[in-house]
Amino acid sequence: MKSRKRGKKDLTGNEVQYEAEKMNQGFPAGGYLIGRHPECDMVLDIPTISNRHCLLFNETRNGDVVAVLEDLSINGTFVQEQLVGRNKRRELEDGDEIAILDEARFVFRYPRSRDSSAFNSRYRILQQLGKGHFATVYLCVERSSGFKYAVKKFERRIGDSQRSQTEGLQQEIAVLMSVSHPNVLCLKETFDEPDGVFLVLELAAEGELFNWIVTKQKLTEAETRKVFIQLFQGTKYLHERNIVHRDIKPENILLTDKNLSIKLADFGLAKIIGEESFTTTLCGTPSCMKPLSNFDYVASG
């Protein structure tokens, strides 16, 4: 019996169902997006405003929840009449005026009662899932709901490595806070603590696609097709939002179940580009590059 091909309505339905499930788990889209695109939380249909102009999201620092504004625009976002700057962030104070060019102005207010709980009071770490150069990934459980998540902890470092790590981490947070798709690993919330930065992420319980391939040695044609359809859907979603991943490989494709449902992960090298820009930086994993790029990488480094 032939399997039914998935049409555009099926894929759109999956995205709607995914958002509904996240809301039921208390896991809404991470940030509040302002811009010209219909998908934004606040739509400003003005030609001079970028499709995705700026993003507001919460971050927990030393036990206090603070609001952060990330400027994604070409023409600029202003806080208290000071330009934030493209791909730069600013912590908001109560009463700050946010200006979108000269087209719209808002006054930011914190709620009267602010959540001041830190990571350890909200989550309990169960076990280590993996470890990389900059971060360690743990399995954790939310104390209030019992739902399990992955938490990526970035340790504090000293010197240039800390500066490089901070830049990559801020970029990863900005990308994750602005996306929500069933084939992209989404961010629930962040905690900036004295011993490190914690990113609470969706849990992909079956781990990396790389390990699945090593265990099975190869995928069938049907399995490969299923993986690539989902990968293309996730990549298409990102590209439509001017986001390029720049390090897609089996290690960064995670499985949520044994039916090969995938999520694209690890946005440390991802970049949000302008509507008329392109990337020129050579980056990624050398062993996963096409031969010519790999030769250039070795020759230049």
Side-chain angles (χ1 to χ4, degrees), residues 123-294:
Y123 296 90
R124 180 166 58 90
I125 289 179
L126 301 178
Q127 67 184 71
Q128 181 175 313
L129 297 177
K131 187 175 180 63
H133 182 63
F134 286 121
T136 304
V137 180
Y138 300 94
L139 173 67
C140 71
V141 60
E142 188 174 29
R143 296 180 187 273
S144 62
S145 67
F147 288 120
K148 291 181 179 179
Y149 298 95
V151 58
K152 196 172 184 180
K153 181 182 180 183
F154 292 81
E155 304 282 351
R156 302 285 183 194
R157 294 174 182 262
I158 301 174
D160 292 340
S161 64
Q162 170 66 37
R163 198 157 37 246
S164 173
Q165 175 190 341
T166 300
E167 291 173 359
L169 177 57
Q170 288 183 349
Q171 182 66 62
E172 183 168 3
I173 291 173
V175 170
L176 290 171
M177 279 293 188
S178 66
V179 300
S180 182
H181 188 274
N183 301 126
V184 177
L185 194 73
C186 293
L187 176 67
K188 186 177 190 292
E189 55 187 328
T190 67
F191 296 84
D192 192 344
E193 305 283 359
D195 60 331
V197 178
F198 297 79
L199 307 188
V200 181
L201 300 152
E202 289 180 288
L203 178 64
E206 297 300 319
E208 299 174 1
L209 175 62
F210 178 83
N211 294 331
W212 181 280
I213 295 172
V214 170
T215 301
K216 294 195 64 176
Q217 296 188 340
K218 64 178 182 179
L219 302 182
T220 66
E221 182 178 341
E223 290 172 334
T224 304
R225 185 185 302 113
K226 181 174 183 178
V227 168
F228 269 89
I229 288 174
Q230 295 174 85
L231 182 60
F232 291 154
Q233 286 297 316
T235 305
K236 175 176 178 287
Y237 172 87
L238 295 173
H239 288 184
E240 288 174 345
R241 287 148 187 81
N242 298 322
I243 299 170
V244 286
H245 187 282
R246 305 201 294 183
D247 197 21
I248 296 177
K249 57 184 179 181
E251 292 92 328
N252 289 340
I253 299 171
L254 304 183
L255 302 173
T256 61
D257 55 41
K258 296 185 183 297
N259 294 321
L260 290 176
S261 299
I262 70 153
K263 287 184 180 287
L264 189 55
D266 199 342
F267 286 80
L269 290 176
K271 185 175 182 181
I272 302 174
I273 61 174
E275 294 166 30
E276 297 180 357
S277 335
F278 57 91
T279 58
T280 57
T281 307
L282 184 62
C283 63
T285 304
S287 59
C288 294
M289 292 179 178
K290 61 183 185 295
L292 183 59
S293 295
N294 198 25

Side-chain angles (χ1 to χ4, degrees), residues 13-29:
N14 287 344
E15 293 180 19
V16 173
Q17 181 182 355
Y18 172 70
E19 292 297 334
E21 289 173 354
K22 283 176 66 181
M23 289 299 294
N24 288 336
Q25 293 183 15
F27 188 173

